[in-house]
Amino acid sequence: MLPWAKLAELGWRGLDLFFVTSGFLIAGILLDTRGDPHFYRNFYARRMLRIFPLYYLFVGVCLIAFPLTQSGSYFATPFMRSAGSPLWYLFYLGNVPEAIGHEPPYVLGPIWSLAIEEQFYIVFPFLVATLDRAKLQKLLLGLIISAPLFRLMALILAPGNERIQYLATPCRMDCIAFGCLLAFLLRGTSTLRARFTRRSTAWALGLGLLACASAFPFGVLTRSTACGRVVGYSLIAATFAALVAFVLARRDAQSTAFLRWAPLRYAGKISYGIYLLHRPADVFVDKVLARLDLLDASTAGIAGSVGSIALKFGVAIAFASASWYVFEKPLLRLKDRFHATNHPADGALPAGAGPARSVSIVPDRAILSE
């Protein structure tokens, strides 16, 4: 199991891919719709319909149900002492106490990334609407440059707290900005789009992977070393941006056919529920296995490491599927009331932005959860 355990340690880097992809999707939506007469209303309404209902249901249930199972007054329960003020979670600020070293309850652990994303996207539509393309690109480049500087400053001021670099909003803006810049590139001048070819994206991805492979032995891609805490995140973000570009340039090619596999598309559709509910699924399975005296991984039963992980994964899929069909999907039908002209989900390319060499930049309707 040791090789698989080492591989699993790389999993935290998936959040960087999430930030890059989210930046690409949201920036693309804002760029394509910023001439719409109801630009702000449509964007925020559609955003809230996608994110808020399940988020607040999940947070509300956690903040009510878990303390009820523990002794003591509400704020004196172990769960609430760990969670801190509910206001952190109700206002999408859950990453703030965790960044300064406050350990949240296990089930609320994933909230931090949603907090960073929503903090950025509260402000970004106003910048897209008021700044021209050149100023926006300079702003995004500034975020890419400033993020490692923020991380360096945090390292100097708090060398013993690596969570600041991982969880503080100013320290993670380069990931989102890389995705936003990619959206700008694909909607830029014909000269810029002409450079977005399969060969160029392959070179970019190859260089990124080579840099990562070279940096890995020196601890640059870890969250514990000084170099990793400052420049490692930027290297990972740049490589993931190259990966997204690489896939976009081959969107209809045979080499990316596996990404169009129905089970993967379905996982993408319910991914928001999986992200929020995978830890409750983990707790649920452990409770059931403990009740059945199967929790000890040394036994030959289902509680062996592989079997337990597979079971938890299946339960998380089941929870997310139930959430999608019973709760999320019916609410998402309300998005039709906030129709935005040229929205990428409508399947139309932005005006004047036909990409080079038949590159499709429109995200698949089935996975466009933003």
Side-chain angles (χ1 to χ4, degrees):
M1 290 298 297
L2 184 59
W4 291 105
K6 290 295 183 181
L7 183 62
E9 291 178 1
L10 303 176
W12 65 266
R13 296 169 180 83
L15 268 299
D16 297 73
L17 177 58
F18 162 74
F19 284 138
V20 170
T21 305
S22 182
F24 171 75
L25 290 173
I26 293 297
I29 289 171
L30 292 172
L31 288 170
D32 292 348
T33 62
R34 64 176 173 175
D36 192 278
H38 301 293
F39 172 75
Y40 294 112
R41 185 203 69 176
N42 290 337
F43 175 79
Y44 286 116
R46 293 170 69 94
R47 184 76 184 161
M48 287 188 290
L49 285 170
R50 182 66 189 103
I51 301 299
F52 281 15
L54 181 59
Y55 175 86
Y56 282 113
L57 176 64
F58 169 74
V59 169
V61 169
C62 288
L63 292 176
I64 295 173
F66 283 96
L68 289 177
T69 65
Q70 301 171 346
S71 59
S73 62
Y74 179 76
F75 287 103
T77 59
F79 185 90
M80 291 309 301
R81 288 201 304 269
S82 178
S85 172
L87 296 179
W88 290 118
Y89 304 99
L90 296 179
F91 289 98
Y92 280 95
L93 295 170
N95 66 313
V96 177
E98 192 172 355
I100 60 178
H102 187 82
E103 183 69 33
Y106 177 71
V107 293
L108 294 179
I111 296 299
W112 70 268
S113 62
L114 295 174
I116 290 177
E117 189 190 27
E118 294 310 303
Q119 290 163 29
F120 182 80
Y121 296 130
I122 285 174
V123 178
F124 197 57
F126 293 94
L127 299 176
V128 172
T130 56
L131 299 179
D132 60 32
R133 180 178 297 272
K135 291 180 179 178
L136 276 171
Q137 290 178 328
K138 290 179 181 178
L139 172 65
L140 292 171
L141 287 171
L143 292 175
I144 291 173
I145 295 171
S146 63
L149 297 179
F150 277 115
R151 294 195 290 266
L152 176 60
M153 185 185 307
L155 176 66
I156 295 172
L157 297 177
N161 184 8
E162 57 87 13
R163 287 190 171 192
I164 297 179
Q165 285 86 4
Y166 187 55
L167 299 164
T169 303
C171 296
R172 302 313 304 272
M173 285 296 96
D174 49 348
C175 292
I176 298 178
F178 267 117
C180 294
L181 271 179
L182 183 58
F184 271 77
L185 171 64
L186 291 174
R187 291 163 174 82
T189 64
S190 57
T191 302
L192 284 175
R193 294 196 306 274
R195 296 175 181 172
F196 189 81
T197 63
R198 293 186 176 183
R199 178 175 296 180
S200 65
T201 55
W203 272 105
L205 178 59
L207 289 174
L209 293 175
L210 179 61
C212 288
S214 302
F216 189 78
F218 301 99
V220 175
L221 301 185
T222 70
R223 290 163 50 184
S224 57
T225 65
C227 191
R229 289 166 63 176
V230 176
V231 302
Y233 293 105
S234 295
L235 177 57
I236 293 170
T239 303
F240 277 137
L243 175 62
V244 173
F246 178 86
V247 172
L248 286 170
R250 293 158 179 78
R251 187 172 186 272
D252 299 317
Q254 188 62 34
S255 59
T256 59
F258 72 99
L259 295 175
R260 300 188 288 276
W261 188 39
L264 283 182
R265 288 162 56 88
Y266 179 75
K269 182 167 62 176
I270 64 170
S271 59
Y272 182 45
I274 293 175
Y275 186 69
L276 278 179
L277 302 175
H278 75 279
R279 289 198 173 186
D282 185 10
V283 173
F284 174 78
V285 171
D286 279 347
K287 294 290 186 182
V288 172
L289 293 179
R291 182 68 64 92
L292 298 175
D293 293 327
L294 293 173
L295 192 58
D296 185 0
S298 64
T299 65
I302 189 70
S305 298
V306 175
S308 178
I309 292 174
L311 180 59
K312 291 176 180 180
F313 184 78
V315 172
I317 293 290
F319 283 2
S321 297
S323 170
W324 172 257
Y325 287 107
V326 176
F327 187 66
E328 297 172 72
K329 187 176 180 180
L331 288 172
L332 289 177
R333 295 193 183 103
L334 297 176
K335 278 188 172 184
D336 293 338
R337 300 185 180 184
F338 304 98
H339 177 75
T341 306
N342 293 327
H343 194 286
D346 294 334
L349 287 172
R357 299 185 67 170
S358 300
V359 177
S360 177
I361 64 175
V362 181
D364 195 302
R365 180 186 294 269
I367 62 173
L368 184 64
S369 61
E370 305 292 353

